[in-house]
Amino acid sequence: LADGDVAGAVADATRAAELSPHDADAWKLWGDALVVQRKREAALEKYNEALRYAPHWAALKQARDVTAKPQS
């Protein structure tokens, strides 16, 4: 994702979540990539899944909260 390969990041995160479904990092990466693709609702689902496994992760909570804000 940092290199601008959004599709690759989605593919990597999807695979990582399949291999390790309780890995919050995979779910957050997937959410981050979906935000870049402007898929807010899907990103929120991924962030919420990540929060199930890392409920105290401040950066994850912030990403979810920013994404959840109504768009103006």
Side-chain angles (χ1 to χ4, degrees):
L1 188 58
D3 295 331
D5 182 7
V6 180
V10 169
D12 288 348
T14 302
R15 184 69 178 139
E18 289 171 355
L19 292 172
S20 184
H22 299 149
D23 181 0
D25 289 311
W27 292 103
K28 183 179 182 303
L29 172 61
W30 199 348
D32 292 346
L34 290 167
V35 166
V36 173
Q37 292 179 325
R38 300 183 191 276
K39 298 178 179 178
R40 284 183 57 241
E41 292 302 318
L44 285 171
E45 290 176 15
K46 304 313 179 206
Y47 288 149
N48 287 330
E49 187 67 19
L51 283 167
R52 291 180 57 199
Y53 310 114
H56 303 291
W57 187 0
L60 173 57
K61 287 180 182 181
Q62 181 180 13
R64 192 264 325 261
D65 292 347
V66 167
T67 303
K69 284 186 181 177
Q71 301 296 305
S72 52

